Amino acid sequence: MSTRSRSRARSAPPAVPWAGAGPYALALRTGRGPLFLRRTDGWLLPLEVERWCARADPVDRAVLDRCEGAVLDVGCGPGRLVAELAARGRTVLGIDVSEAAVDHTVRLGGQALRRSVFEPLPGEGRWGTVLLMDGNVGIGGDPRALLDRVARLLRPGGLLIAETAVVDVDERSEVQVVDGTDVDTGGHGAFPWARLGTPALLRYAGRAGWRTAGQWTTGRRRFVALRSRSPRSASSSAEPANSTALISSQRARKPSADRPVADR
């Protein structure tokens, strides 16, 4: 394998069966559902595709008002939050494993990178705020592992803002993304996911050393703000988290696996 091929292989997103084609990508491209997470027992959780593909609403904007420093939107989807922050002149990067999501974000004028939160990312240890909106606190199906990963992405004392489930739930399961017309695929394309209400997230966060910075409900949506309790060592040469060095340019462009927008 050539050096270039090895580089491409290392930086390519992991195989995520639901993210490339099929119902999820189609819904993001059209901006319409229906779309669901389906558990193995057949239970369906409706996904709010139309809201995700619209511009940031007043609830979103109030959340973004709380952001500090440079912002990393994990699981940015079609990019409404990235676009809103970019329009405010904020340093912001979205990441998503879906190429359709990244493309949509870039078309809105935001910066986005096709990558998993568990892969190497630009600006590690220097982000001022990490967002886990729209249920993305469930990414990976292991809340403790996700919280540990986010702590490594944030600067010392950085802020995590997470949107939690509207009910008190602490659930881990295998799910599939479906449009409601899919036949049973026998688990093909299933991936681990978690659903957490606010009490469950606060329990996991407390055990992992996070400090609660706030919790609130707006409309039918619930949020938690967490701050890392223990400062971590950082390179003395690293720029502050709100430095534009985290992102090389605010000009919208399509990232690739070989040239992430904010790698240094």
PDB file of all heavy atoms in Angstrom, residues 41-78:
ATOM      1  N   ASP A  41     -36.743  -4.669  19.199  1.00  0.00           N
ATOM      2  CA  ASP A  41     -38.074  -5.174  19.534  1.00  0.00           C
ATOM      3  C   ASP A  41     -39.172  -4.517  18.706  1.00  0.00           C
ATOM      4  O   ASP A  41     -40.354  -4.760  18.926  1.00  0.00           O
ATOM      5  CB  ASP A  41     -38.362  -4.996  21.029  1.00  0.00           C
ATOM      6  CG  ASP A  41     -38.397  -3.530  21.464  1.00  0.00           C
ATOM      7  OD1 ASP A  41     -38.255  -2.635  20.602  1.00  0.00           O
ATOM      8  OD2 ASP A  41     -38.545  -3.285  22.679  1.00  0.00           O
ATOM      9  N   GLY A  42     -38.787  -3.652  17.751  1.00  0.00           N
ATOM     10  CA  GLY A  42     -39.752  -3.017  16.867  1.00  0.00           C
ATOM     11  C   GLY A  42     -40.218  -1.642  17.299  1.00  0.00           C
ATOM     12  O   GLY A  42     -40.899  -0.949  16.531  1.00  0.00           O
ATOM     13  N   TRP A  43     -39.872  -1.200  18.529  1.00  0.00           N
ATOM     14  CA  TRP A  43     -40.266   0.125  19.006  1.00  0.00           C
ATOM     15  C   TRP A  43     -39.615   1.207  18.163  1.00  0.00           C
ATOM     16  O   TRP A  43     -38.445   1.113  17.799  1.00  0.00           O
ATOM     17  CB  TRP A  43     -39.864   0.268  20.464  1.00  0.00           C
ATOM     18  CG  TRP A  43     -40.225   1.574  21.093  1.00  0.00           C
ATOM     19  CD1 TRP A  43     -41.418   1.933  21.632  1.00  0.00           C
ATOM     20  CD2 TRP A  43     -39.361   2.705  21.267  1.00  0.00           C
ATOM     21  NE1 TRP A  43     -41.363   3.213  22.136  1.00  0.00           N
ATOM     22  CE2 TRP A  43     -40.114   3.707  21.924  1.00  0.00           C
ATOM     23  CE3 TRP A  43     -38.028   2.955  20.934  1.00  0.00           C
ATOM     24  CZ2 TRP A  43     -39.570   4.947  22.257  1.00  0.00           C
ATOM     25  CZ3 TRP A  43     -37.481   4.191  21.257  1.00  0.00           C
ATOM     26  CH2 TRP A  43     -38.252   5.166  21.915  1.00  0.00           C
ATOM     27  N   LEU A  44     -40.393   2.256  17.825  1.00  0.00           N
ATOM     28  CA  LEU A  44     -39.915   3.318  16.943  1.00  0.00           C
ATOM     29  C   LEU A  44     -39.828   4.647  17.685  1.00  0.00           C
ATOM     30  O   LEU A  44     -40.762   5.041  18.389  1.00  0.00           O
ATOM     31  CB  LEU A  44     -40.851   3.490  15.745  1.00  0.00           C
ATOM     32  CG  LEU A  44     -40.972   2.319  14.776  1.00  0.00           C
ATOM     33  CD1 LEU A  44     -42.051   2.608  13.738  1.00  0.00           C
ATOM     34  CD2 LEU A  44     -39.642   2.030  14.099  1.00  0.00           C
ATOM     35  N   LEU A  45     -38.696   5.350  17.511  1.00  0.00           N
ATOM     36  CA  LEU A  45     -38.523   6.702  18.041  1.00  0.00           C
ATOM     37  C   LEU A  45     -38.507   7.668  16.855  1.00  0.00           C
ATOM     38  O   LEU A  45     -37.584   7.629  16.033  1.00  0.00           O
ATOM     39  CB  LEU A  45     -37.217   6.818  18.809  1.00  0.00           C
ATOM     40  CG  LEU A  45     -36.858   8.238  19.307  1.00  0.00           C
ATOM     41  CD1 LEU A  45     -37.847   8.678  20.389  1.00  0.00           C
ATOM     42  CD2 LEU A  45     -35.425   8.286  19.820  1.00  0.00           C
ATOM     43  N   PRO A  46     -39.510   8.534  16.730  1.00  0.00           N
ATOM     44  CA  PRO A  46     -39.530   9.478  15.605  1.00  0.00           C
ATOM     45  C   PRO A  46     -38.353  10.455  15.686  1.00  0.00           C
ATOM     46  O   PRO A  46     -37.991  10.932  16.763  1.00  0.00           O
ATOM     47  CB  PRO A  46     -40.867  10.214  15.780  1.00  0.00           C
ATOM     48  CG  PRO A  46     -41.683   9.343  16.676  1.00  0.00           C
ATOM     49  CD  PRO A  46     -40.718   8.654  17.583  1.00  0.00           C
ATOM     50  N   LEU A  47     -37.763  10.750  14.533  1.00  0.00           N
ATOM     51  CA  LEU A  47     -36.664  11.711  14.431  1.00  0.00           C
ATOM     52  C   LEU A  47     -37.176  12.980  13.747  1.00  0.00           C
ATOM     53  O   LEU A  47     -37.913  12.912  12.766  1.00  0.00           O
ATOM     54  CB  LEU A  47     -35.502  11.111  13.643  1.00  0.00           C
ATOM     55  CG  LEU A  47     -34.918   9.822  14.232  1.00  0.00           C
ATOM     56  CD1 LEU A  47     -33.785   9.294  13.352  1.00  0.00           C
ATOM     57  CD2 LEU A  47     -34.425  10.027  15.663  1.00  0.00           C
ATOM     58  N   GLU A  48     -36.764  14.140  14.256  1.00  0.00           N
ATOM     59  CA  GLU A  48     -37.325  15.413  13.822  1.00  0.00           C
ATOM     60  C   GLU A  48     -36.558  15.985  12.631  1.00  0.00           C
ATOM     61  O   GLU A  48     -35.904  17.031  12.724  1.00  0.00           O
ATOM     62  CB  GLU A  48     -37.349  16.394  14.988  1.00  0.00           C
ATOM     63  CG  GLU A  48     -38.201  15.929  16.153  1.00  0.00           C
ATOM     64  CD  GLU A  48     -38.246  16.945  17.278  1.00  0.00           C
ATOM     65  OE1 GLU A  48     -38.941  17.971  17.115  1.00  0.00           O
ATOM     66  OE2 GLU A  48     -37.573  16.718  18.295  1.00  0.00           O
ATOM     67  N   VAL A  49     -36.652  15.303  11.508  1.00  0.00           N
ATOM     68  CA  VAL A  49     -35.877  15.674  10.332  1.00  0.00           C
ATOM     69  C   VAL A  49     -36.171  17.098   9.871  1.00  0.00           C
ATOM     70  O   VAL A  49     -35.247  17.862   9.552  1.00  0.00           O
ATOM     71  CB  VAL A  49     -36.142  14.675   9.180  1.00  0.00           C
ATOM     72  CG1 VAL A  49     -35.406  15.106   7.920  1.00  0.00           C
ATOM     73  CG2 VAL A  49     -35.728  13.273   9.593  1.00  0.00           C
ATOM     74  N   GLU A  50     -37.435  17.450   9.815  1.00  0.00           N
ATOM     75  CA  GLU A  50     -37.782  18.783   9.316  1.00  0.00           C
ATOM     76  C   GLU A  50     -37.175  19.881  10.183  1.00  0.00           C
ATOM     77  O   GLU A  50     -36.672  20.883   9.663  1.00  0.00           O
ATOM     78  CB  GLU A  50     -39.310  18.950   9.250  1.00  0.00           C
ATOM     79  CG  GLU A  50     -39.979  18.141   8.151  1.00  0.00           C
ATOM     80  CD  GLU A  50     -40.215  16.685   8.530  1.00  0.00           C
ATOM     81  OE1 GLU A  50     -39.889  16.300   9.689  1.00  0.00           O
ATOM     82  OE2 GLU A  50     -40.730  15.921   7.679  1.00  0.00           O
ATOM     83  N   ARG A  51     -37.187  19.704  11.499  1.00  0.00           N
ATOM     84  CA  ARG A  51     -36.580  20.698  12.381  1.00  0.00           C
ATOM     85  C   ARG A  51     -35.073  20.734  12.216  1.00  0.00           C
ATOM     86  O   ARG A  51     -34.459  21.790  12.190  1.00  0.00           O
ATOM     87  CB  ARG A  51     -36.948  20.404  13.847  1.00  0.00           C
ATOM     88  CG  ARG A  51     -36.350  21.422  14.821  1.00  0.00           C
ATOM     89  CD  ARG A  51     -36.865  21.231  16.228  1.00  0.00           C
ATOM     90  NE  ARG A  51     -36.474  19.963  16.820  1.00  0.00           N
ATOM     91  CZ  ARG A  51     -35.278  19.743  17.373  1.00  0.00           C
ATOM     92  NH1 ARG A  51     -34.353  20.700  17.372  1.00  0.00           N
ATOM     93  NH2 ARG A  51     -34.995  18.568  17.900  1.00  0.00           N
ATOM     94  N   TRP A  52     -34.450  19.562  12.086  1.00  0.00           N
ATOM     95  CA  TRP A  52     -33.008  19.513  11.919  1.00  0.00           C
ATOM     96  C   TRP A  52     -32.565  20.211  10.628  1.00  0.00           C
ATOM     97  O   TRP A  52     -31.494  20.835  10.590  1.00  0.00           O
ATOM     98  CB  TRP A  52     -32.524  18.069  11.879  1.00  0.00           C
ATOM     99  CG  TRP A  52     -32.768  17.299  13.129  1.00  0.00           C
ATOM    100  CD1 TRP A  52     -33.193  17.776  14.343  1.00  0.00           C
ATOM    101  CD2 TRP A  52     -32.612  15.887  13.289  1.00  0.00           C
ATOM    102  NE1 TRP A  52     -33.312  16.759  15.246  1.00  0.00           N
ATOM    103  CE2 TRP A  52     -32.963  15.592  14.643  1.00  0.00           C
ATOM    104  CE3 TRP A  52     -32.214  14.865  12.455  1.00  0.00           C
ATOM    105  CZ2 TRP A  52     -32.912  14.281  15.145  1.00  0.00           C
ATOM    106  CZ3 TRP A  52     -32.168  13.578  12.948  1.00  0.00           C
ATOM    107  CH2 TRP A  52     -32.518  13.291  14.277  1.00  0.00           C
ATOM    108  N   CYS A  53     -33.379  20.080   9.581  1.00  0.00           N
ATOM    109  CA  CYS A  53     -32.991  20.636   8.279  1.00  0.00           C
ATOM    110  C   CYS A  53     -33.399  22.101   8.117  1.00  0.00           C
ATOM    111  O   CYS A  53     -33.040  22.726   7.111  1.00  0.00           O
ATOM    112  CB  CYS A  53     -33.603  19.795   7.152  1.00  0.00           C
ATOM    113  SG  CYS A  53     -32.882  18.136   7.006  1.00  0.00           S
ATOM    114  N   ALA A  54     -34.125  22.629   9.057  1.00  0.00           N
ATOM    115  CA  ALA A  54     -34.506  24.042   9.017  1.00  0.00           C
ATOM    116  C   ALA A  54     -33.391  24.894   9.631  1.00  0.00           C
ATOM    117  O   ALA A  54     -32.376  24.377  10.105  1.00  0.00           O
ATOM    118  CB  ALA A  54     -35.813  24.252   9.769  1.00  0.00           C
ATOM    119  N   ARG A  55     -33.594  26.196   9.622  1.00  0.00           N
ATOM    120  CA  ARG A  55     -32.657  27.088  10.302  1.00  0.00           C
ATOM    121  C   ARG A  55     -32.827  26.950  11.813  1.00  0.00           C
ATOM    122  O   ARG A  55     -33.855  26.460  12.300  1.00  0.00           O
ATOM    123  CB  ARG A  55     -32.911  28.535   9.876  1.00  0.00           C
ATOM    124  CG  ARG A  55     -32.623  28.781   8.407  1.00  0.00           C
ATOM    125  CD  ARG A  55     -31.132  28.825   8.144  1.00  0.00           C
ATOM    126  NE  ARG A  55     -30.820  29.059   6.741  1.00  0.00           N
ATOM    127  CZ  ARG A  55     -29.595  29.356   6.292  1.00  0.00           C
ATOM    128  NH1 ARG A  55     -28.595  29.453   7.142  1.00  0.00           N
ATOM    129  NH2 ARG A  55     -29.386  29.535   4.998  1.00  0.00           N
ATOM    130  N   ALA A  56     -31.831  27.384  12.559  1.00  0.00           N
ATOM    131  CA  ALA A  56     -31.905  27.335  14.017  1.00  0.00           C
ATOM    132  C   ALA A  56     -33.130  28.094  14.505  1.00  0.00           C
ATOM    133  O   ALA A  56     -33.412  29.208  14.052  1.00  0.00           O
ATOM    134  CB  ALA A  56     -30.636  27.935  14.608  1.00  0.00           C
ATOM    135  N   ASP A  57     -33.862  27.485  15.423  1.00  0.00           N
ATOM    136  CA  ASP A  57     -35.074  28.114  15.952  1.00  0.00           C
ATOM    137  C   ASP A  57     -34.739  28.865  17.248  1.00  0.00           C
ATOM    138  O   ASP A  57     -33.587  28.849  17.702  1.00  0.00           O
ATOM    139  CB  ASP A  57     -36.175  27.076  16.150  1.00  0.00           C
ATOM    140  CG  ASP A  57     -35.823  25.993  17.163  1.00  0.00           C
ATOM    141  OD1 ASP A  57     -34.956  26.232  18.036  1.00  0.00           O
ATOM    142  OD2 ASP A  57     -36.426  24.907  17.103  1.00  0.00           O
ATOM    143  N   PRO A  58     -35.725  29.547  17.863  1.00  0.00           N
ATOM    144  CA  PRO A  58     -35.422  30.312  19.080  1.00  0.00           C
ATOM    145  C   PRO A  58     -34.830  29.472  20.210  1.00  0.00           C
ATOM    146  O   PRO A  58     -33.969  29.961  20.960  1.00  0.00           O
ATOM    147  CB  PRO A  58     -36.785  30.890  19.464  1.00  0.00           C
ATOM    148  CG  PRO A  58     -37.512  31.025  18.162  1.00  0.00           C
ATOM    149  CD  PRO A  58     -37.103  29.827  17.368  1.00  0.00           C
ATOM    150  N   VAL A  59     -35.260  28.224  20.357  1.00  0.00           N
ATOM    151  CA  VAL A  59     -34.694  27.365  21.399  1.00  0.00           C
ATOM    152  C   VAL A  59     -33.222  27.085  21.098  1.00  0.00           C
ATOM    153  O   VAL A  59     -32.361  27.155  21.985  1.00  0.00           O
ATOM    154  CB  VAL A  59     -35.496  26.060  21.517  1.00  0.00           C
ATOM    155  CG1 VAL A  59     -34.842  25.124  22.538  1.00  0.00           C
ATOM    156  CG2 VAL A  59     -36.931  26.343  21.903  1.00  0.00           C
ATOM    157  N   ASP A  60     -32.921  26.760  19.843  1.00  0.00           N
ATOM    158  CA  ASP A  60     -31.533  26.543  19.447  1.00  0.00           C
ATOM    159  C   ASP A  60     -30.684  27.779  19.728  1.00  0.00           C
ATOM    160  O   ASP A  60     -29.575  27.686  20.277  1.00  0.00           O
ATOM    161  CB  ASP A  60     -31.442  26.237  17.944  1.00  0.00           C
ATOM    162  CG  ASP A  60     -32.099  24.936  17.543  1.00  0.00           C
ATOM    163  OD1 ASP A  60     -32.077  23.986  18.350  1.00  0.00           O
ATOM    164  OD2 ASP A  60     -32.631  24.871  16.423  1.00  0.00           O
ATOM    165  N   ARG A  61     -31.201  28.936  19.324  1.00  0.00           N
ATOM    166  CA  ARG A  61     -30.408  30.161  19.449  1.00  0.00           C
ATOM    167  C   ARG A  61     -30.134  30.499  20.910  1.00  0.00           C
ATOM    168  O   ARG A  61     -29.056  30.995  21.244  1.00  0.00           O
ATOM    169  CB  ARG A  61     -31.112  31.318  18.737  1.00  0.00           C
ATOM    170  CG  ARG A  61     -31.171  31.128  17.217  1.00  0.00           C
ATOM    171  CD  ARG A  61     -31.537  32.413  16.508  1.00  0.00           C
ATOM    172  NE  ARG A  61     -32.898  32.842  16.793  1.00  0.00           N
ATOM    173  CZ  ARG A  61     -33.969  32.460  16.103  1.00  0.00           C
ATOM    174  NH1 ARG A  61     -33.833  31.616  15.076  1.00  0.00           N
ATOM    175  NH2 ARG A  61     -35.174  32.910  16.405  1.00  0.00           N
ATOM    176  N   ALA A  62     -31.095  30.196  21.782  1.00  0.00           N
ATOM    177  CA  ALA A  62     -30.864  30.433  23.207  1.00  0.00           C
ATOM    178  C   ALA A  62     -29.766  29.518  23.747  1.00  0.00           C
ATOM    179  O   ALA A  62     -28.959  29.923  24.593  1.00  0.00           O
ATOM    180  CB  ALA A  62     -32.158  30.224  23.997  1.00  0.00           C
ATOM    181  N   VAL A  63     -29.711  28.278  23.260  1.00  0.00           N
ATOM    182  CA  VAL A  63     -28.625  27.376  23.636  1.00  0.00           C
ATOM    183  C   VAL A  63     -27.291  27.919  23.139  1.00  0.00           C
ATOM    184  O   VAL A  63     -26.293  27.955  23.873  1.00  0.00           O
ATOM    185  CB  VAL A  63     -28.877  25.964  23.084  1.00  0.00           C
ATOM    186  CG1 VAL A  63     -27.646  25.083  23.268  1.00  0.00           C
ATOM    187  CG2 VAL A  63     -30.083  25.325  23.761  1.00  0.00           C
ATOM    188  N   LEU A  64     -27.255  28.374  21.900  1.00  0.00           N
ATOM    189  CA  LEU A  64     -26.006  28.862  21.325  1.00  0.00           C
ATOM    190  C   LEU A  64     -25.514  30.121  22.027  1.00  0.00           C
ATOM    191  O   LEU A  64     -24.310  30.384  22.047  1.00  0.00           O
ATOM    192  CB  LEU A  64     -26.185  29.113  19.827  1.00  0.00           C
ATOM    193  CG  LEU A  64     -26.589  27.885  18.994  1.00  0.00           C
ATOM    194  CD1 LEU A  64     -26.646  28.242  17.515  1.00  0.00           C
ATOM    195  CD2 LEU A  64     -25.635  26.722  19.233  1.00  0.00           C
ATOM    196  N   ASP A  65     -26.425  30.892  22.609  1.00  0.00           N
ATOM    197  CA  ASP A  65     -26.015  32.074  23.383  1.00  0.00           C
ATOM    198  C   ASP A  65     -25.138  31.688  24.568  1.00  0.00           C
ATOM    199  O   ASP A  65     -24.364  32.512  25.067  1.00  0.00           O
ATOM    200  CB  ASP A  65     -27.246  32.820  23.909  1.00  0.00           C
ATOM    201  CG  ASP A  65     -28.023  33.538  22.814  1.00  0.00           C
ATOM    202  OD1 ASP A  65     -27.467  33.744  21.713  1.00  0.00           O
ATOM    203  OD2 ASP A  65     -29.199  33.890  23.065  1.00  0.00           O
ATOM    204  N   ARG A  66     -25.255  30.461  25.037  1.00  0.00           N
ATOM    205  CA  ARG A  66     -24.488  30.002  26.193  1.00  0.00           C
ATOM    206  C   ARG A  66     -23.092  29.503  25.827  1.00  0.00           C
ATOM    207  O   ARG A  66     -22.280  29.233  26.727  1.00  0.00           O
ATOM    208  CB  ARG A  66     -25.242  28.868  26.906  1.00  0.00           C
ATOM    209  CG  ARG A  66     -26.589  29.272  27.495  1.00  0.00           C
ATOM    210  CD  ARG A  66     -27.336  28.049  28.000  1.00  0.00           C
ATOM    211  NE  ARG A  66     -28.630  28.377  28.591  1.00  0.00           N
ATOM    212  CZ  ARG A  66     -28.882  28.381  29.904  1.00  0.00           C
ATOM    213  NH1 ARG A  66     -27.921  28.054  30.759  1.00  0.00           N
ATOM    214  NH2 ARG A  66     -30.079  28.702  30.362  1.00  0.00           N
ATOM    215  N   CYS A  67     -22.828  29.314  24.546  1.00  0.00           N
ATOM    216  CA  CYS A  67     -21.553  28.733  24.130  1.00  0.00           C
ATOM    217  C   CYS A  67     -20.387  29.650  24.465  1.00  0.00           C
ATOM    218  O   CYS A  67     -20.494  30.875  24.407  1.00  0.00           O
ATOM    219  CB  CYS A  67     -21.569  28.447  22.623  1.00  0.00           C
ATOM    220  SG  CYS A  67     -22.675  27.106  22.143  1.00  0.00           S
ATOM    221  N   GLU A  68     -19.265  29.045  24.786  1.00  0.00           N
ATOM    222  CA  GLU A  68     -18.045  29.762  25.130  1.00  0.00           C
ATOM    223  C   GLU A  68     -16.938  29.365  24.165  1.00  0.00           C
ATOM    224  O   GLU A  68     -16.784  28.198  23.808  1.00  0.00           O
ATOM    225  CB  GLU A  68     -17.610  29.416  26.557  1.00  0.00           C
ATOM    226  CG  GLU A  68     -18.661  29.703  27.606  1.00  0.00           C
ATOM    227  CD  GLU A  68     -18.298  29.141  28.970  1.00  0.00           C
ATOM    228  OE1 GLU A  68     -17.249  28.461  29.087  1.00  0.00           O
ATOM    229  OE2 GLU A  68     -19.057  29.395  29.932  1.00  0.00           O
ATOM    230  N   GLY A  69     -16.127  30.347  23.752  1.00  0.00           N
ATOM    231  CA  GLY A  69     -14.968  30.049  22.924  1.00  0.00           C
ATOM    232  C   GLY A  69     -15.326  29.379  21.613  1.00  0.00           C
ATOM    233  O   GLY A  69     -16.412  29.558  21.059  1.00  0.00           O
ATOM    234  N   ALA A  70     -14.398  28.590  21.107  1.00  0.00           N
ATOM    235  CA  ALA A  70     -14.617  27.849  19.871  1.00  0.00           C
ATOM    236  C   ALA A  70     -15.533  26.666  20.150  1.00  0.00           C
ATOM    237  O   ALA A  70     -15.435  26.020  21.199  1.00  0.00           O
ATOM    238  CB  ALA A  70     -13.292  27.364  19.299  1.00  0.00           C
ATOM    239  N   VAL A  71     -16.414  26.365  19.197  1.00  0.00           N
ATOM    240  CA  VAL A  71     -17.482  25.382  19.419  1.00  0.00           C
ATOM    241  C   VAL A  71     -17.311  24.200  18.474  1.00  0.00           C
ATOM    242  O   VAL A  71     -17.130  24.375  17.264  1.00  0.00           O
ATOM    243  CB  VAL A  71     -18.868  26.023  19.206  1.00  0.00           C
ATOM    244  CG1 VAL A  71     -19.972  24.999  19.475  1.00  0.00           C
ATOM    245  CG2 VAL A  71     -19.045  27.245  20.108  1.00  0.00           C
ATOM    246  N   LEU A  72     -17.406  23.003  19.028  1.00  0.00           N
ATOM    247  CA  LEU A  72     -17.415  21.765  18.254  1.00  0.00           C
ATOM    248  C   LEU A  72     -18.798  21.150  18.386  1.00  0.00           C
ATOM    249  O   LEU A  72     -19.226  20.807  19.492  1.00  0.00           O
ATOM    250  CB  LEU A  72     -16.355  20.796  18.776  1.00  0.00           C
ATOM    251  CG  LEU A  72     -16.269  19.448  18.061  1.00  0.00           C
ATOM    252  CD1 LEU A  72     -15.766  19.626  16.621  1.00  0.00           C
ATOM    253  CD2 LEU A  72     -15.361  18.479  18.823  1.00  0.00           C
ATOM    254  N   ASP A  73     -19.512  21.014  17.256  1.00  0.00           N
ATOM    255  CA  ASP A  73     -20.845  20.420  17.236  1.00  0.00           C
ATOM    256  C   ASP A  73     -20.700  18.959  16.822  1.00  0.00           C
ATOM    257  O   ASP A  73     -20.443  18.654  15.651  1.00  0.00           O
ATOM    258  CB  ASP A  73     -21.743  21.185  16.263  1.00  0.00           C
ATOM    259  CG  ASP A  73     -23.191  20.697  16.293  1.00  0.00           C
ATOM    260  OD1 ASP A  73     -23.505  19.804  17.107  1.00  0.00           O
ATOM    261  OD2 ASP A  73     -23.995  21.208  15.495  1.00  0.00           O
ATOM    262  N   VAL A  74     -20.859  18.065  17.784  1.00  0.00           N
ATOM    263  CA  VAL A  74     -20.669  16.629  17.556  1.00  0.00           C
ATOM    264  C   VAL A  74     -21.979  16.032  17.063  1.00  0.00           C
ATOM    265  O   VAL A  74     -23.014  16.155  17.716  1.00  0.00           O
ATOM    266  CB  VAL A  74     -20.203  15.934  18.849  1.00  0.00           C
ATOM    267  CG1 VAL A  74     -20.164  14.415  18.651  1.00  0.00           C
ATOM    268  CG2 VAL A  74     -18.833  16.455  19.273  1.00  0.00           C
ATOM    269  N   GLY A  75     -21.916  15.373  15.900  1.00  0.00           N
ATOM    270  CA  GLY A  75     -23.136  14.873  15.266  1.00  0.00           C
ATOM    271  C   GLY A  75     -23.960  16.031  14.753  1.00  0.00           C
ATOM    272  O   GLY A  75     -25.150  16.145  15.016  1.00  0.00           O
ATOM    273  N   CYS A  76     -23.317  16.894  13.965  1.00  0.00           N
ATOM    274  CA  CYS A  76     -23.929  18.167  13.556  1.00  0.00           C
ATOM    275  C   CYS A  76     -25.123  17.998  12.639  1.00  0.00           C
ATOM    276  O   CYS A  76     -25.895  18.941  12.443  1.00  0.00           O
ATOM    277  CB  CYS A  76     -22.894  19.070  12.895  1.00  0.00           C
ATOM    278  SG  CYS A  76     -22.255  18.471  11.309  1.00  0.00           S
ATOM    279  N   GLY A  77     -25.304  16.791  12.048  1.00  0.00           N
ATOM    280  CA  GLY A  77     -26.425  16.598  11.138  1.00  0.00           C
ATOM    281  C   GLY A  77     -26.352  17.581   9.990  1.00  0.00           C
ATOM    282  O   GLY A  77     -25.270  17.915   9.501  1.00  0.00           O
ATOM    283  N   PRO A  78     -27.498  18.098   9.542  1.00  0.00           N
ATOM    284  CA  PRO A  78     -27.499  18.995   8.382  1.00  0.00           C
ATOM    285  C   PRO A  78     -26.996  20.402   8.667  1.00  0.00           C
ATOM    286  O   PRO A  78     -27.015  21.249   7.782  1.00  0.00           O
ATOM    287  CB  PRO A  78     -28.964  18.999   7.940  1.00  0.00           C
ATOM    288  CG  PRO A  78     -29.737  18.606   9.139  1.00  0.00           C
ATOM    289  CD  PRO A  78     -28.870  17.691   9.931  1.00  0.00           C
TER     290      PRO A  78
END
